[in-house]
Amino acid sequence: MSPKAAYIHIPFCSHICYYCDFNKVFIEGQPVDEYIELLIREMELTGKKYKIEPLETLYVGGGTPSSLNPQQMERLLDGIHQYLPLQKGAEFTMELNPDDGTHELLSVMKKGGVNRLSMGVQTFNNDLLKAIGRKHTKETAIRTIENARQVGFENMSIDLIFRLPKQTIADFEESLKMAMDLDLPHYSIYSLILEQKTVFYNLMRQGKLPLPTQDEEADMFQLAIDSMESFGRHHYEISNYALPGFESRHNLHYWKADEYLGFGAGAHGYLNQERYQNCGPIQHYLEPLRKFELPILHKNLLSKKSQIEEEMFLGLRKKSGVLVEKFENKFNCSFEKLYGEQITELINQKLLYDDRQRIHMTDKGFELGNNVFEKFLLDDINF
C-alpha cells in the first residue's frame, strides 16, 4: 500500500529559539539553493524507487520553511508538484514564522497550492516572547494572520505554549483570549517540554529556569480544554483543538500509525513497516544526493510488538482513542489477552473511560499521558 502522506523538512532558521531541539541551522551562510535542488532530487529518486500514489496530505515543516525567499519558495513548490502528486482536495500545510508573513511570500505559497498554514506564535505576551528567544511580537503575529487572510488563506492554525518560565495562569488566559479573538479554525496548545541540547534545558540543569508548578501546569491545561471547548474548537488530540472538519489531516495520519514519506535533512519516514531517518547535518544530507543516492542514515524494521505499542501510544493521543475490533483485525490477536488487566487498572484510576469497545483517555488521562502510555509497553510475548 502506498503512503498517503509526506513530510518535507526545511532546516533553516533566521534565529534559534531557546526551547527548540528540532534539526535546524542558522540560515546565514548555508547552501540554501543547493539544498532545495537536492531536496527536489530526493523526491525524484524516491519516486523512481517507489511508485508514489497521489497524496492525501503534505506537510512542509522545519526549521522554518518561511525563511526561504519568494524565489526559493517558488522553486521548492514547483519541484514538489513535479514529483509529488496530490489528490484533489489534498491538505497542503506550510509552517510559517510570524516574522515572515509578507504578502509576496504568502502569495507565492497560495499560488503554489499551499492551502493550510501553521504558525508558531507560542504566546501573545511580548515579554514572554523575548524571554523564550522569539523575535516576533504579538502585533506581528496578528498582522501576519491578517495578511494571510487577505491573500486568501482560511485554514490556519497557531501554536501556543504553556508552562513557560515565569508564566502565570493570568498570562496564559490572556494569550488564550487573544488567540480566540483571531477566530481561527485550529489551535495547537502544548506544555513546554525541556529537550536536551537546548538553552532552556541547560538553564534548568543549573537551577536558573523559574517554571510554573505542576499544579499550575495542570490548571493551564484544563483552562485550555475548557476555553477551546466553549469556543467550539473540540479537543480531538492531547494538544489539538479544531472546528469540525478542520482537524489536521496530516497529523491524523501519524496518530493512526499510517505510513508516510519523509524528505529533507534529518527527516523521518515510515514505509513497508520500516521506519527510516535521513542524515541530519546539511552536508551529510547533500553528499549522497550529489551522487544521485538517497540520503538515508538508517532503517529500523518494526517488530509486531513495536507496531502494537505504537498503535496504542499514537492512537491514545486522539480523543477518539483506539477501536478494539479494528485493533484485533489489524494485528490478529486478542486485545483483552494483551491489555485486559492494564485497562481495568487505568479505568479504576479514572485515566480511561469505562468503554471496552473503544479505549480512550479522560482529561485526567491526557494530563498524565505518559503514565497511561507506559502501561501499554509489552513484555516479550510470542504472538
Side-chain angles (χ1 to χ4, degrees):
M1 186 176 73
S2 180
K4 298 295 185 213
Y7 172 79
I8 296 172
H9 191 72
I10 306 297
F12 308 112
C13 290
S14 55
H15 63 274
I16 306 299
C17 302
Y18 300 159
Y19 53 85
C20 178
D21 77 327
F22 293 140
N23 187 46
K24 79 281 183 188
V25 293
F26 187 57
I27 193 168
E28 192 171 319
Q30 293 294 332
V32 181
D33 291 331
E34 184 186 19
Y35 181 88
I36 292 169
E37 291 304 322
L38 293 185
L39 174 62
I40 293 168
R41 181 175 293 174
E42 184 191 2
M43 298 175 208
E44 179 186 9
L45 292 172
T46 301
K48 288 178 178 176
K49 185 172 182 179
Y50 311 100
K51 180 172 170 49
I52 301 176
E53 300 291 338
L55 300 169
E56 293 177 358
T57 69
L58 178 60
Y59 192 105
V60 184
T64 312
S66 59
S67 65
L68 303 180
N69 65 39
Q71 294 72 34
Q72 291 164 340
M73 179 65 73
E74 186 172 15
R75 175 66 187 117
L76 171 64
L77 292 168
D78 286 347
I80 286 172
H81 288 296
Q82 186 174 358
Y83 295 111
L84 296 183
L86 297 177
Q87 292 184 13
K88 185 178 180 180
E91 178 190 88
F92 186 173
T93 304
M94 180 83 69
E95 289 183 355
L96 174 69
N97 190 305
D99 283 340
D100 301 327
T102 64
H103 277 93
E104 184 182 9
L105 186 66
L106 287 164
S107 296
V108 170
M109 291 180 185
K110 192 79 172 70
K111 185 180 176 184
V114 178
N115 55 24
R116 183 177 184 273
L117 297 177
S118 178
M119 193 165 80
V121 174
Q122 319 314 8
T123 174
F124 286 95
N125 180 317
N126 284 341
D127 291 334
L128 281 176
L129 283 168
K130 189 174 181 181
I132 66 177
R134 299 293 281 173
K135 298 301 182 187
H136 72 269
T137 62
K138 67 180 179 184
E139 293 81 9
T140 310
I142 293 167
R143 186 167 61 249
T144 292
I145 294 289
E146 291 171 352
N147 288 349
R149 282 185 165 135
Q150 288 171 10
V151 168
F153 284 103
E154 297 176 3
N155 192 356
M156 290 186 277
S157 176
I158 61 172
D159 293 357
L160 294 178
I161 300 179
F162 59 92
R163 192 185 167 236
L164 296 172
K166 295 186 179 179
Q167 186 181 40
T168 65
I169 293 174
D171 283 331
F172 180 54
E173 189 168 19
E174 181 64 19
S175 279
L176 278 172
K177 183 178 181 303
M178 295 188 75
M180 291 186 289
D181 284 346
L182 292 169
D183 197 24
L184 300 175
H186 191 283
Y187 297 85
S188 296
I189 307 176
Y190 304 92
S191 174
L192 175 69
I193 298 174
L194 298 175
E195 303 284 6
Q196 293 188 32
K197 300 179 183 177
T198 63
V199 172
F200 274 179
Y201 184 83
N202 291 332
L203 288 172
M204 182 270 293
R205 291 286 300 272
Q206 297 167 32
K208 297 178 180 177
L209 196 67
L211 297 173
T213 65
Q214 282 189 328
D215 285 346
E216 288 172 323
E217 179 186 1
D219 288 343
M220 290 177 185
F221 181 59
Q222 193 60 50
L223 178 62
I225 294 174
D226 295 342
S227 299
M228 286 287 140
E229 289 283 0
S230 65
F231 185 50
R233 274 62 177 172
H234 71 106
H235 187 201
Y236 73 97
E237 190 270 346
I238 287 181
S239 305
N240 287 276
Y241 308 81
L243 285 173
F246 285 89
E247 300 85 357
S248 170
R249 288 159 52 192
H250 183 79
N251 285 338
L252 283 167
H253 279 297
Y254 294 152
W255 300 323
K256 291 176 184 174
D258 291 342
E259 296 190 340
Y260 63 96
L261 297 164
F263 301 98
H268 294 254
Y270 182 34
L271 197 60
N272 299 325
Q273 298 182 353
E274 197 170 55
R275 294 208 176 272
Y276 65 89
Q277 182 181 359
N278 282 348
C279 300
I282 304 294
Q283 291 299 331
H284 292 199
Y285 168 77
L286 297 177
E287 187 177 350
L289 286 165
R290 291 179 185 127
K291 299 181 285 189
F292 291 84
E293 298 171 0
L294 287 172
I296 294 174
L297 177 65
H298 60 73
K299 296 180 179 180
N300 176 31
L301 184 64
L302 291 188
S303 65
K304 187 172 182 180
K305 172 178 175 290
S306 294
Q307 290 178 51
I308 286 174
E309 289 172 344
E310 285 199 1
E311 185 85 8
M312 295 306 298
F313 299 160
L314 295 169
L316 282 170
R317 293 186 62 92
K318 306 191 305 291
K319 193 84 171 178
S320 58
V322 176
L323 292 172
V324 171
E325 184 179 3
K326 186 176 178 182
F327 176 97
E328 292 182 335
N329 289 337
K330 182 173 182 177
F331 295 108
N332 192 29
C333 61
S334 164
F335 189 88
E336 180 66 25
K337 182 179 176 183
L338 282 181
Y339 289 128
E341 290 181 17
Q342 294 91 320
I343 298 298
T344 299
E345 180 184 348
L346 291 166
I347 288 172
N348 291 338
Q349 293 173 1
K350 303 288 193 290
L351 300 177
L352 291 182
Y353 287 105
D354 189 1
D355 182 350
R356 296 287 173 166
Q357 303 308 309
R358 181 166 68 94
I359 309 305
H360 54 130
M361 290 200 287
T362 62
D363 285 351
K364 183 182 177 185
F366 278 131
E367 182 188 324
L368 302 173
N370 288 338
N371 300 49
V372 178
F373 298 151
E374 68 183 16
K375 295 294 185 182
F376 293 95
L377 290 169
L378 292 168
D379 296 325
D380 290 327
I381 294 173
N382 295 319
F383 294 104

